[in-house]
Amino acid sequence: MQARRYHLMGIGGTGMSALAEILRAGGFEVSGCDLHLGSEAIPHLRSLGVSVFEGHDPGHVGLADVLVVSSAIPRDNPERLEAERLGVPVRHRAEALAGALSGRSLVAVAGAHGKTTTAALTAHMLVELGMDPMVAVGFALPGSPTGARPGRGGLAVVEADESDRSFLNFHPDIAVVTTIEPDHLENYGYSFDRLIDAYARFMAQVVPNGWWVLGTDSPVVRDLLNGRNGALPRLNAEGSRVVTYALGPHPARWTARGIELAARGSRFVAVRDEQVVGPVRLSVPGQHNVANALAVLGVADALGLDLEAACRSLEGFTGARRRFEVVAEAGGVMVVDDYAHHPTKIAATIAAARDGYGARVVAVFQPHRYHRTAILMDELAGAFDRADAVVLTDIYAPPPEQPLPGVTGLELFRRLAARPVWTARPDKAFFCPTLEETYERALAEAVPGTLVLVMGAGNITQLARRLGEAVRSRYGPGGPAGPGGRGSGG
């Protein structure tokens, strides 16, 4: 019997709320629960007819044919135990999403960095070109409280997550891999090779006659493309449908010329096989977003779309939530909220702030997870060198992760403070163990001519919002715009 009733645990999260919206649009009965109902997605889901409960209760399971969980839900959760007792199938979110996308051609975007923006920008391009895609990404889309777009066209675009191996649930028609770097290694036996092998398996799951869109600025992607361990014979076979892109000197089908970075975005000329396709304007800043745009044009290439129209379509994209999201701008101060939590992305985000705005950049950072911090401690310490000041707080780790001996925000700060750039100006680096102390220091640094860049994957986003409110209150809506900006307000 086909499942008609789904119960989603943690339904307030962006990924789970996106699945709930897509299932509901498909005509399924959907319920869900969450420990806290503060997510702005909850009223939206209820307006769609989704039943939402506060807290976990075994009684919820009897309402469902399928219980949907994320990797954050432990196996001994009472609802999971009740599902086992009742014989109700338990499915991971990605597995349920893959089932909901059945019958559509799938573009799955994976990678250590850029996958959210690349997936959202791909969806934007397809919408602009009239293709009405179904979309599921890990952060709220512009104008929506969820990461879902239930479109009725024959294409679907998803953000495929490597962190918990859930990207292996997808068999895409087009697989995009932006970059491969060591992260989430606690889920791969602390082995980068195992993570690479998982990417190779994801890429091997492309359907017959499918395509690969690959960022060859990544050394590991180049290794796979060049036949690392013979893991991908289809990828390396003559006549394979591979579209490459790069900003660096590595050979690639798609490249960019004449890159100009500005406060509110960038412009460049898109080049395919050494031939100019057309000018591109982006409304999101940073050179890393130029690379993301090239990936999207690679998808357009694989789909056989009008490439000049695809170039023109990108300008209207204003960014995914918490991707260089300006939350306040007044009195010569700008507050930006960003999800960056990996060293490469932190450095790229700081570079986007410096290169685009020419402002004094204050980086406020909350490390995410003990295991990640332990593995990347030195790389994290070096990621802030281009900031003018840095404010570091303690590690945020969602349950069930437990602390590790010697792995603390203070130890990370000690390594950061020992770097020459900060020993030369020790009064510009701060460790604040609590979010309240971090907020007070960030507010003290928020003087005219400053861009305060709040980064992290945890609850530091709440600090960014609070700081934004304080800046607006301090300078008022009539104050001058922030660095590089026009107008005022948030």
Side-chain angles (χ1 to χ4, degrees), residues 337-361:
D337 186 21
D338 197 278
Y339 189 68
H341 56 281
H342 186 279
T344 302
K345 187 60 186 294
I346 292 166
T349 305
I350 292 172
R354 290 199 68 89
D355 297 341
Y357 290 84
R360 171 178 178 264
V361 176

Side-chain angles (χ1 to χ4, degrees), residues 95-419:
E95 183 182 0
L97 177 61
L101 301 177
S102 177
R104 290 179 168 83
S105 295
L106 176 61
V107 180
V109 183
H113 317 296
K115 58 181 173 285
T116 301
T117 297
T118 300
L121 184 54
T122 299
H124 171 85
M125 174 193 71
L126 296 174
V127 170
E128 290 294 300
L129 298 182
M131 304 190 73
D132 194 21
M134 177 176 281
V135 182
V137 298
F139 269 86
L141 293 166
S144 170
T146 76
R149 185 182 188 279
R152 309 237 175 232
L155 281 171
V157 180
V158 301
E159 177 184 350
D161 187 6
E162 84 287 359
S163 67
D164 55 2
R165 301 177 182 264
S166 62
F167 66 161
L168 298 178
N169 286 284
F170 300 110
H171 292 75
D173 296 82
I174 300 175
V176 182
V177 179
T178 60
T179 182
I180 301 173
E181 295 187 23
D183 199 4
H184 310 290
L185 295 186
E186 67 275 12
N187 295 323
Y188 292 89
Y190 297 95
S191 167
F192 189 26
D193 283 339
R194 291 184 185 177
L195 173 62
I196 294 170
D197 289 344
Y199 271 103
R201 180 178 166 192
F202 166 73
M203 293 160 71
Q205 291 178 179
V206 168
V207 302
N209 298 316
W211 289 81
W212 295 269
V213 177
L214 305 177
T216 53
D217 284 326
S218 168
V220 179
V221 172
R222 293 198 304 274
D223 284 350
L224 290 174
L225 186 58
N226 292 329
R228 172 190 170 109
N229 301 329
L232 292 165
R234 278 205 300 141
L235 181 68
N236 303 295
E238 185 177 352
S240 292
R241 298 183 175 198
V242 178
V243 179
T244 55
Y245 67 94
L247 295 180
H250 316 290
R253 167 169 285 187
W254 283 92
T255 57
R257 294 179 186 166
I259 298 173
E260 298 178 21
L261 303 176
R264 297 293 178 172
S266 60
R267 65 177 69 184
F268 64 94
V269 175
V271 177
R272 179 184 182 272
D273 292 332
E274 301 297 326
Q275 300 296 313
V276 169
V277 176
V280 177
R281 291 176 178 266
L282 297 178
S283 300
V284 288
Q287 185 157 294
H288 59 294
N289 279 318
V290 175
N292 293 337
L294 290 178
V296 175
L297 294 175
V299 173
D301 196 353
L303 290 171
L305 304 180
D306 181 328
L307 298 181
E308 292 184 17
C311 287
R312 291 192 298 270
S313 74
L314 303 184
E315 183 175 4
F317 178 73
T318 56
R321 189 76 63 84
R322 296 210 67 212
R323 295 321 193 261
F324 214 91
E325 180 184 359
V326 179
V327 297
E329 185 179 7
V333 178
M334 179 180 289
V335 179
V336 172
D337 186 21
D338 197 278
Y339 189 68
H341 56 281
H342 186 279
T344 302
K345 187 60 186 294
I346 292 166
T349 305
I350 292 172
R354 290 199 68 89
D355 297 341
Y357 290 84
R360 171 178 178 264
V361 176
V362 176
V364 182
F365 179 63
Q366 180 187 56
H368 187 244
R369 293 188 180 276
Y370 296 104
H371 288 94
R372 173 185 285 123
T373 305
I375 293 168
L376 299 173
M377 184 82 77
D378 290 328
E379 291 86 348
L380 284 168
F384 299 89
D385 284 0
R386 290 196 67 195
D388 294 287
V390 60
V391 183
L392 187 68
T393 191
D394 216 339
I395 298 169
Y396 174 88
E401 190 178 21
Q402 298 297 315
L404 297 175
V407 181
T408 64
L410 181 58
E411 176 58 26
L412 174 58
F413 177 76
R414 286 171 176 156
R415 298 195 192 188
L416 177 149
R419 295 180 62 80

Side-chain angles (χ1 to χ4, degrees), residues 70-119:
S70 71
S71 299
I73 305 297
R75 293 186 177 277
D76 61 354
N77 179 280
E79 292 193 23
R80 293 191 69 160
L81 294 175
E82 180 68 0
E84 181 179 341
R85 188 183 73 82
L86 296 176
V88 174
V90 178
R91 300 284 183 261
H92 188 279
R93 182 189 67 85
E95 183 182 0
L97 177 61
L101 301 177
S102 177
R104 290 179 168 83
S105 295
L106 176 61
V107 180
V109 183
H113 317 296
K115 58 181 173 285
T116 301
T117 297
T118 300

Side-chain angles (χ1 to χ4, degrees), residues 327-328 333 335 362-366 390-394 430-447 452 454 459-474:
V327 297
V333 178
V335 179
V362 176
V364 182
F365 179 63
Q366 180 187 56
V390 60
V391 183
L392 187 68
T393 191
D394 216 339
F430 308 92
F431 177 69
C432 302
T434 68
L435 281 184
E436 183 61 31
E437 292 170 282
T438 304
Y439 166 78
E440 294 294 341
R441 170 47 57 184
L443 185 59
E445 296 293 323
V447 297
V452 183
V454 182
N459 60 355
I460 198 166
T461 185
Q462 299 166 13
L463 182 150
R465 266 62 187 169
R466 183 182 172 194
L467 185 63
E469 292 173 359
V471 165
R472 285 192 295 267
S473 175
R474 173 186 288 177

